Amino acid sequence: MTFLETNGLTKAFGGVRAVDEATVSFQEGRINALIGPNGSGKTTFFNCVTGMIRPDSGTVTYRGRDVTGHAPHRIARAGLGRSFQLCRVFPRMTVLDNVLAGVRSTGLAHRLRGAHNPDDIARARELLARVGIEHLERSEARDISYGQQKLLELAGVLMAEPDTIMLDEPAGGVNPALIGRIATLVRELNAEGRTFVIVEHNMELVMSLSDHVVVFDRGRPIASGAPADVQNDPRVLEAYLGV
Amino acid sequence: MLSASSHGRTPAAIRLVAAVVLLGLVLAFPALAPDPFILSVGVVIASYAALAVAWNFVGGLTGYISLGHAAYSGLGGYGTALLITEAGVNPWVSMVVAALLVGAAAVPIGIASLRVRGASFVIVSIALVLILLLVAQSWAGVTGGSNGLRVPRPFGTDVLRPEQHERFFYLFVALTLVALVLWWLIDRSRLGTGLKAIREDEDKAQALGVPTFAYKLVVFVVSAFFTAMAGGMYALWFGSLDPIFQFSILTGSYLVLMSLLGGVRSLLGPVVGAVIVGYAVEFFKNQYGDTQLHLVALGLLLALVVLFMPDGVIPWLTSQLDRFRPGGTSIREVDAAQLAEERKALEEAKR
Amino acid sequence: MSLSLLLQSLILGLLLGGLYALLAAGLTLYFGVMRVVMIAHSAFLILAAYLAWFFTKQTGLDPLLSLFITVPLFFAAGYVMQRALLSRLRPATLTMMSVLLTFAIALVIEGGLGYLFSGTQRRIQLGYSGASLELWGARIAVVKLIAFGLAAISLLALFLLLKKTRFGQALRATIQHREAAQLLGIDTDRIAGFGFGLGLATAAVGGTALALDATIYPSLHWHWIGPLMAIIVIGGLGSIPGAAIAAMILGVTQALLQIPMGTTWAQTVFYVALFATLMFRPQGFFGGRLAQRF
C-alpha cells in the first residue's frame, strides 16, 4: 500500500504553474525532506497535499485513500498534521488553549463537553513540557517569543495525534540553539514512529536530519534519494546554482 | 465583568456574588421604575439584550459579523403573528415554532454564506434583510404590507398596559438568561475552543482538524433561533408589525454596535452594550424625535468603536487606566498578520 | 405591441446595466486594492446625486457640469478615506471591521442628507427631461441615454487607465499581489489610496447620471447597495470585466422581469442570483480568483 504520494498534481495561479504535474512519493516512518530554490512551488505543493488549496488536476493518496480536494480538517483527521511557514498560532488564546484546540473531537456529546477537562489538560501539559514551554501555559500566544511560538505550534499539531507531520520551514527565522532543539524533537518523535515531511531551506539541517530528500524545481520533482546522493546530483546543482 | 476565557483572575465567589446582585437589580427594575414609560423603555432594552446575546453566538464566537440579523428577528415576528392569526395556534407555541422554522431556514442561508470567508458572509447578511423587506412590502396579502400586521395579544384584555410591560420584561430577561447560559456552555466546551480557533485563524484551525464549516453553521443556526425567539416575543409585546421596522438594517447595526461596544469576547459584553446603546437610542428618539440626526450619531459612534475600541469599551477602559498606572505595561496590539509581517522581515534579514 | 415593449425593456435594461457596471467597477476596485467591501459606495452615489441636484438648483446650470466639482472631490475623499481611516484597521480583522466602518460612513451620509435636505423626494427638472427617442416602437428617454453614455465613457476611461498607463499597471500589480508589487518598488499604500479615490470617482459619475432621471431621497442607497454587491459576487470578487458582464446580464434580466412581475419583485432577481452563486459557485462566474480566498 502506498503511504503518501501525489500523481500528476498540478496547480496554476493565473498563467503560472506553481505545481506542475508533480508525482512524488514519501516513505513511511522516515524523515522526508522537500527542498528546492525559492519559488519552486514547495509551499503550494504542501497546501495542495493538506487540502488548503484545491489542485487543478492530479491526485493525492494517503494510506491507499484518495484524499484529493478533501477539506483540510478531513485530511488532518486522516492523520496528516501540518505546521505553517512563518508559524501560525492563535494569537489571542492562551498557550494552553492553543494546544487544546488540537484535541480530536468525535461526536456531538464529546464536542459539548468542557474544553478544560483534566485528561485533555494533562495531555496538553505533557506536550508543552515536551517542547519545553510548559511554564508559559497561561500567557496569550501573542505575548511569547517567535521561537516559543514555533514550539507551541508543534505542540498543537501533536495534540491532534497525527501519524504524519508536515513542517513548513521549521528552522526559518529561529536561532541556532532552537534549531538544534527542534531537530532533536523531530528525531525523537520519528523514533516513536511518526513520519515527517519537512520543507526546509537550511541545507545543513536537511542533510543531517533527513533520510530521504526530494528536490523541487519549477513545480515538479527533479531528483530524489538519500541526502548524500541528492547533494551530488548535477540536476540539483543546476537548479540551485543555475549553472 | 465576567470575562469568558480568563480563568480565575477574580475569585469565583466574588463573581458569583456580583452576578447575584446584578440579577437582583435587574429583577427589581419593574418595581423601581417610576412610570409605565420608563418601564416600556426597560422592555425595549431587555429585548435588545436578548437580541444582542443571540447575535453574539456568531459574532463573538466566530468573529463573523452579521449586519442582517434583523432578518431573523423579523421572520420570527411575522412567523409568530401569522401562526396565531392564520393557523390559530397558541401565541407562545407560535413563537417557539416560528423560531424553530427560522432556525431551519438558517441552514441553507448559512451554507451559502459561510462556505467562503468573511466578505460574502457580510454581503449575504445585508442582502437578506433587503430582500425580506422587499418581499414583506410587496406581499401585502400576507404581511399586511406597509399598513402593518396586527398581532393578537397573548394576555387577556383585563391585563393592563403596565402589567403587560412587567410580564414581558421578565420574559425578555428569562430569554436573555437562557441564551447567556447556552453561550457560556458553548464558550467553555470543545466546540467553543474550536470556534475561537476559527475566530483567530481559520486556516490554522482547519489544519488542526477542526471542522470549521460545520462548527460555524451550528452557532449560526443557534443564533438565528434565539434572534427569532426575541423577534417573536417582541411582536407579541408590541402588537403590530411594519416591514420597515422589522426588516431594518438599522436594527441589525444596533446589535453589532451593542456587542462591539460591550465586548464580543465576553459573556455579558452584549448585555452591557444593549443597556448603553438601547438607552441612548431611546433617549435620542425622545429628545430629537424624527430628525435624521440619530443616524449620524449612530454612524459616528460605530466608527469610533471600530477604530479605537474594537475589543469593546471595558477592555479599552482598562487599557487606558493601565497607561496611567506606574510601571504598567502597555497592552501589545499585535495580531497574527502583524506577527507574520515582523517575521517576514526577520527572515528577510536572515537571508 | 408586446414586441416593442420587450425591445423597450431590453434597451432600458442595457442602459441600466451600464450604470450598474460602472458602479460595480468601483466596488471591485476597493475590493481589489484592500479586500474591503465598501458599503458606503451607494451612499456616496446618492450624495453625488444630491450634489448634482443642489448644484442645478443653486446655479441653474446643467447637472452634468457638477461633475467637474464632484469627481475631483470624491477622488480626494476616497484617497483620504483609505489613508486616514481604513488603513488604520488591523489587518487580521480588516474584512469585518472595514465593512462596519464603511457602513458607519453610509449612515453618516444618509443621516446628514436627511438632516440638510429633509427626507423629501427630489428630482431635477431639465429642458430635455421629457424628450425621448423612438426606436422601432420603443421609447427611450434621452436622459437615460446620456446617463448610459456617461457610464460607458467613464468605464472605458477606467479600462484604458488600468491597461495602458504606468499607474494602471502599478494598480493592477497591487491588486494581484501586494507583496510582489512592493518588491517591484511600488508604493502600494499610495496606490491603494488612489484605487479608493478612483472607486469613489465612479460613484460621483454614477450619482450625476442617476440624478438626471431618477427621484432621489436619502435612504435610496439601500436599494443600490444590495444589487451592486450581488453583481460583484456573481462577477467573481476582484474582476472588473466580470463585474461588468454580470451587471449587464442582471440589468437586462431585471428589466425583462419587470414586465410580468412588477418592479419590486423584479429586484429580487439580484438576491436570487447572489444566493445561487454562493451555493453552487462561490468563486463567481467570471474570473475573479480572489473570491476563493475571501
PDB file of all heavy atoms in Angstrom, chain B residues 235-255:
ATOM      1  N   ALA B 235     -42.899  40.862  18.875  1.00  0.00           N
ATOM      2  CA  ALA B 235     -44.162  41.002  18.143  1.00  0.00           C
ATOM      3  C   ALA B 235     -45.344  40.865  19.096  1.00  0.00           C
ATOM      4  O   ALA B 235     -46.307  41.627  19.029  1.00  0.00           O
ATOM      5  CB  ALA B 235     -44.240  39.958  17.024  1.00  0.00           C
ATOM      6  N   LEU B 236     -45.256  39.900  20.020  1.00  0.00           N
ATOM      7  CA  LEU B 236     -46.349  39.677  20.970  1.00  0.00           C
ATOM      8  C   LEU B 236     -46.515  40.881  21.902  1.00  0.00           C
ATOM      9  O   LEU B 236     -47.622  41.237  22.287  1.00  0.00           O
ATOM     10  CB  LEU B 236     -46.081  38.413  21.797  1.00  0.00           C
ATOM     11  CG  LEU B 236     -46.157  37.093  21.027  1.00  0.00           C
ATOM     12  CD1 LEU B 236     -45.798  35.938  21.932  1.00  0.00           C
ATOM     13  CD2 LEU B 236     -47.551  36.906  20.434  1.00  0.00           C
ATOM     14  N   TRP B 237     -45.389  41.475  22.249  1.00  0.00           N
ATOM     15  CA  TRP B 237     -45.457  42.618  23.157  1.00  0.00           C
ATOM     16  C   TRP B 237     -45.964  43.867  22.436  1.00  0.00           C
ATOM     17  O   TRP B 237     -46.887  44.540  22.886  1.00  0.00           O
ATOM     18  CB  TRP B 237     -44.074  42.906  23.751  1.00  0.00           C
ATOM     19  CG  TRP B 237     -44.028  44.166  24.564  1.00  0.00           C
ATOM     20  CD1 TRP B 237     -44.737  44.411  25.716  1.00  0.00           C
ATOM     21  CD2 TRP B 237     -43.272  45.343  24.300  1.00  0.00           C
ATOM     22  NE1 TRP B 237     -44.461  45.664  26.177  1.00  0.00           N
ATOM     23  CE2 TRP B 237     -43.558  46.272  25.333  1.00  0.00           C
ATOM     24  CE3 TRP B 237     -42.368  45.715  23.300  1.00  0.00           C
ATOM     25  CZ2 TRP B 237     -42.979  47.543  25.390  1.00  0.00           C
ATOM     26  CZ3 TRP B 237     -41.791  46.971  23.357  1.00  0.00           C
ATOM     27  CH2 TRP B 237     -42.102  47.868  24.387  1.00  0.00           C
ATOM     28  N   PHE B 238     -45.365  44.138  21.289  1.00  0.00           N
ATOM     29  CA  PHE B 238     -45.642  45.396  20.608  1.00  0.00           C
ATOM     30  C   PHE B 238     -47.011  45.389  19.951  1.00  0.00           C
ATOM     31  O   PHE B 238     -47.658  46.417  19.864  1.00  0.00           O
ATOM     32  CB  PHE B 238     -44.550  45.669  19.569  1.00  0.00           C
ATOM     33  CG  PHE B 238     -44.479  47.110  19.167  1.00  0.00           C
ATOM     34  CD1 PHE B 238     -43.999  48.057  20.061  1.00  0.00           C
ATOM     35  CD2 PHE B 238     -44.885  47.516  17.906  1.00  0.00           C
ATOM     36  CE1 PHE B 238     -43.927  49.396  19.705  1.00  0.00           C
ATOM     37  CE2 PHE B 238     -44.814  48.859  17.538  1.00  0.00           C
ATOM     38  CZ  PHE B 238     -44.337  49.794  18.443  1.00  0.00           C
ATOM     39  N   GLY B 239     -47.441  44.230  19.468  1.00  0.00           N
ATOM     40  CA  GLY B 239     -48.806  44.109  18.986  1.00  0.00           C
ATOM     41  C   GLY B 239     -49.019  44.467  17.531  1.00  0.00           C
ATOM     42  O   GLY B 239     -50.095  44.239  16.995  1.00  0.00           O
ATOM     43  N   SER B 240     -47.989  45.021  16.847  1.00  0.00           N
ATOM     44  CA  SER B 240     -48.147  45.245  15.411  1.00  0.00           C
ATOM     45  C   SER B 240     -46.796  45.246  14.733  1.00  0.00           C
ATOM     46  O   SER B 240     -45.774  45.559  15.354  1.00  0.00           O
ATOM     47  CB  SER B 240     -48.872  46.568  15.147  1.00  0.00           C
ATOM     48  OG  SER B 240     -47.972  47.636  15.227  1.00  0.00           O
ATOM     49  N   LEU B 241     -46.785  44.867  13.472  1.00  0.00           N
ATOM     50  CA  LEU B 241     -45.530  44.735  12.738  1.00  0.00           C
ATOM     51  C   LEU B 241     -45.571  45.571  11.467  1.00  0.00           C
ATOM     52  O   LEU B 241     -46.569  45.567  10.753  1.00  0.00           O
ATOM     53  CB  LEU B 241     -45.290  43.265  12.362  1.00  0.00           C
ATOM     54  CG  LEU B 241     -45.156  42.282  13.519  1.00  0.00           C
ATOM     55  CD1 LEU B 241     -45.156  40.859  12.999  1.00  0.00           C
ATOM     56  CD2 LEU B 241     -43.890  42.555  14.303  1.00  0.00           C
ATOM     57  N   ASP B 242     -44.479  46.269  11.203  1.00  0.00           N
ATOM     58  CA  ASP B 242     -44.352  47.045   9.974  1.00  0.00           C
ATOM     59  C   ASP B 242     -43.028  46.628   9.320  1.00  0.00           C
ATOM     60  O   ASP B 242     -41.993  46.634  10.001  1.00  0.00           O
ATOM     61  CB  ASP B 242     -44.340  48.537  10.325  1.00  0.00           C
ATOM     62  CG  ASP B 242     -44.226  49.410   9.086  1.00  0.00           C
ATOM     63  OD1 ASP B 242     -43.721  48.941   8.050  1.00  0.00           O
ATOM     64  OD2 ASP B 242     -44.634  50.582   9.159  1.00  0.00           O
ATOM     65  N   PRO B 243     -43.062  46.250   8.036  1.00  0.00           N
ATOM     66  CA  PRO B 243     -41.829  45.757   7.395  1.00  0.00           C
ATOM     67  C   PRO B 243     -40.633  46.677   7.589  1.00  0.00           C
ATOM     68  O   PRO B 243     -39.520  46.213   7.821  1.00  0.00           O
ATOM     69  CB  PRO B 243     -42.204  45.671   5.911  1.00  0.00           C
ATOM     70  CG  PRO B 243     -43.674  45.543   5.893  1.00  0.00           C
ATOM     71  CD  PRO B 243     -44.197  46.240   7.111  1.00  0.00           C
ATOM     72  N   ILE B 244     -40.876  47.985   7.482  1.00  0.00           N
ATOM     73  CA  ILE B 244     -39.777  48.944   7.574  1.00  0.00           C
ATOM     74  C   ILE B 244     -38.997  48.783   8.877  1.00  0.00           C
ATOM     75  O   ILE B 244     -37.775  48.906   8.919  1.00  0.00           O
ATOM     76  CB  ILE B 244     -40.333  50.397   7.489  1.00  0.00           C
ATOM     77  CG1 ILE B 244     -40.786  50.689   6.077  1.00  0.00           C
ATOM     78  CG2 ILE B 244     -39.294  51.396   7.951  1.00  0.00           C
ATOM     79  CD1 ILE B 244     -39.704  51.201   5.171  1.00  0.00           C
ATOM     80  N   PHE B 245     -39.715  48.496   9.962  1.00  0.00           N
ATOM     81  CA  PHE B 245     -39.029  48.384  11.245  1.00  0.00           C
ATOM     82  C   PHE B 245     -38.579  46.958  11.532  1.00  0.00           C
ATOM     83  O   PHE B 245     -37.616  46.740  12.251  1.00  0.00           O
ATOM     84  CB  PHE B 245     -39.928  48.891  12.379  1.00  0.00           C
ATOM     85  CG  PHE B 245     -40.218  50.355  12.256  1.00  0.00           C
ATOM     86  CD1 PHE B 245     -41.493  50.792  11.953  1.00  0.00           C
ATOM     87  CD2 PHE B 245     -39.200  51.280  12.396  1.00  0.00           C
ATOM     88  CE1 PHE B 245     -41.749  52.150  11.806  1.00  0.00           C
ATOM     89  CE2 PHE B 245     -39.453  52.635  12.246  1.00  0.00           C
ATOM     90  CZ  PHE B 245     -40.736  53.069  11.949  1.00  0.00           C
ATOM     91  N   GLN B 246     -39.298  45.987  10.993  1.00  0.00           N
ATOM     92  CA  GLN B 246     -38.919  44.606  11.249  1.00  0.00           C
ATOM     93  C   GLN B 246     -37.681  44.210  10.460  1.00  0.00           C
ATOM     94  O   GLN B 246     -36.779  43.592  11.002  1.00  0.00           O
ATOM     95  CB  GLN B 246     -40.075  43.652  10.901  1.00  0.00           C
ATOM     96  CG  GLN B 246     -41.264  43.787  11.830  1.00  0.00           C
ATOM     97  CD  GLN B 246     -40.848  43.746  13.278  1.00  0.00           C
ATOM     98  OE1 GLN B 246     -40.247  42.796  13.730  1.00  0.00           O
ATOM     99  NE2 GLN B 246     -41.144  44.811  14.023  1.00  0.00           N
ATOM    100  N   PHE B 247     -37.691  44.551   9.179  1.00  0.00           N
ATOM    101  CA  PHE B 247     -36.545  44.175   8.343  1.00  0.00           C
ATOM    102  C   PHE B 247     -35.683  45.408   8.113  1.00  0.00           C
ATOM    103  O   PHE B 247     -35.582  45.928   7.007  1.00  0.00           O
ATOM    104  CB  PHE B 247     -37.021  43.561   7.034  1.00  0.00           C
ATOM    105  CG  PHE B 247     -37.792  42.291   7.259  1.00  0.00           C
ATOM    106  CD1 PHE B 247     -39.142  42.219   6.966  1.00  0.00           C
ATOM    107  CD2 PHE B 247     -37.168  41.178   7.787  1.00  0.00           C
ATOM    108  CE1 PHE B 247     -39.858  41.049   7.194  1.00  0.00           C
ATOM    109  CE2 PHE B 247     -37.872  40.011   8.019  1.00  0.00           C
ATOM    110  CZ  PHE B 247     -39.217  39.938   7.725  1.00  0.00           C
ATOM    111  N   SER B 248     -35.082  45.873   9.183  1.00  0.00           N
ATOM    112  CA  SER B 248     -34.337  47.115   9.107  1.00  0.00           C
ATOM    113  C   SER B 248     -32.857  46.850   9.314  1.00  0.00           C
ATOM    114  O   SER B 248     -32.455  46.197  10.279  1.00  0.00           O
ATOM    115  CB  SER B 248     -34.877  48.073  10.178  1.00  0.00           C
ATOM    116  OG  SER B 248     -33.831  48.859  10.679  1.00  0.00           O
ATOM    117  N   ILE B 249     -32.067  47.376   8.390  1.00  0.00           N
ATOM    118  CA  ILE B 249     -30.619  47.275   8.527  1.00  0.00           C
ATOM    119  C   ILE B 249     -30.169  47.967   9.811  1.00  0.00           C
ATOM    120  O   ILE B 249     -29.216  47.561  10.454  1.00  0.00           O
ATOM    121  CB  ILE B 249     -29.936  47.941   7.308  1.00  0.00           C
ATOM    122  CG1 ILE B 249     -30.251  47.180   6.047  1.00  0.00           C
ATOM    123  CG2 ILE B 249     -28.462  48.078   7.526  1.00  0.00           C
ATOM    124  CD1 ILE B 249     -29.237  46.167   5.668  1.00  0.00           C
ATOM    125  N   LEU B 250     -30.910  49.007  10.166  1.00  0.00           N
ATOM    126  CA  LEU B 250     -30.537  49.765  11.363  1.00  0.00           C
ATOM    127  C   LEU B 250     -30.584  48.893  12.605  1.00  0.00           C
ATOM    128  O   LEU B 250     -29.680  48.924  13.435  1.00  0.00           O
ATOM    129  CB  LEU B 250     -31.488  50.941  11.550  1.00  0.00           C
ATOM    130  CG  LEU B 250     -31.136  52.217  10.827  1.00  0.00           C
ATOM    131  CD1 LEU B 250     -31.997  53.340  11.349  1.00  0.00           C
ATOM    132  CD2 LEU B 250     -29.678  52.536  10.996  1.00  0.00           C
ATOM    133  N   THR B 251     -31.665  48.114  12.734  1.00  0.00           N
ATOM    134  CA  THR B 251     -31.770  47.233  13.900  1.00  0.00           C
ATOM    135  C   THR B 251     -30.554  46.316  13.957  1.00  0.00           C
ATOM    136  O   THR B 251     -29.944  46.141  15.014  1.00  0.00           O
ATOM    137  CB  THR B 251     -33.045  46.384  13.809  1.00  0.00           C
ATOM    138  OG1 THR B 251     -34.133  47.253  13.530  1.00  0.00           O
ATOM    139  CG2 THR B 251     -33.295  45.651  15.098  1.00  0.00           C
ATOM    140  N   GLY B 252     -30.207  45.743  12.799  1.00  0.00           N
ATOM    141  CA  GLY B 252     -29.046  44.857  12.753  1.00  0.00           C
ATOM    142  C   GLY B 252     -27.788  45.581  13.202  1.00  0.00           C
ATOM    143  O   GLY B 252     -26.971  45.033  13.938  1.00  0.00           O
ATOM    144  N   SER B 253     -27.648  46.842  12.780  1.00  0.00           N
ATOM    145  CA  SER B 253     -26.416  47.547  13.130  1.00  0.00           C
ATOM    146  C   SER B 253     -26.424  47.955  14.603  1.00  0.00           C
ATOM    147  O   SER B 253     -25.367  48.053  15.220  1.00  0.00           O
ATOM    148  CB  SER B 253     -26.214  48.758  12.232  1.00  0.00           C
ATOM    149  OG  SER B 253     -27.305  49.620  12.342  1.00  0.00           O
ATOM    150  N   TYR B 254     -27.607  48.166  15.171  1.00  0.00           N
ATOM    151  CA  TYR B 254     -27.657  48.389  16.623  1.00  0.00           C
ATOM    152  C   TYR B 254     -27.048  47.200  17.357  1.00  0.00           C
ATOM    153  O   TYR B 254     -26.279  47.357  18.297  1.00  0.00           O
ATOM    154  CB  TYR B 254     -29.111  48.548  17.106  1.00  0.00           C
ATOM    155  CG  TYR B 254     -29.752  49.876  16.789  1.00  0.00           C
ATOM    156  CD1 TYR B 254     -31.131  49.973  16.594  1.00  0.00           C
ATOM    157  CD2 TYR B 254     -29.004  51.041  16.699  1.00  0.00           C
ATOM    158  CE1 TYR B 254     -31.739  51.177  16.304  1.00  0.00           C
ATOM    159  CE2 TYR B 254     -29.598  52.247  16.407  1.00  0.00           C
ATOM    160  CZ  TYR B 254     -30.973  52.314  16.210  1.00  0.00           C
ATOM    161  OH  TYR B 254     -31.565  53.510  15.916  1.00  0.00           O
ATOM    162  N   LEU B 255     -27.448  46.005  16.925  1.00  0.00           N
ATOM    163  CA  LEU B 255     -26.957  44.795  17.604  1.00  0.00           C
ATOM    164  C   LEU B 255     -25.439  44.709  17.519  1.00  0.00           C
ATOM    165  O   LEU B 255     -24.763  44.361  18.487  1.00  0.00           O
ATOM    166  CB  LEU B 255     -27.577  43.537  16.992  1.00  0.00           C
ATOM    167  CG  LEU B 255     -29.092  43.461  16.987  1.00  0.00           C
ATOM    168  CD1 LEU B 255     -29.554  42.111  16.482  1.00  0.00           C
ATOM    169  CD2 LEU B 255     -29.633  43.729  18.366  1.00  0.00           C
TER     170      LEU B 255
END
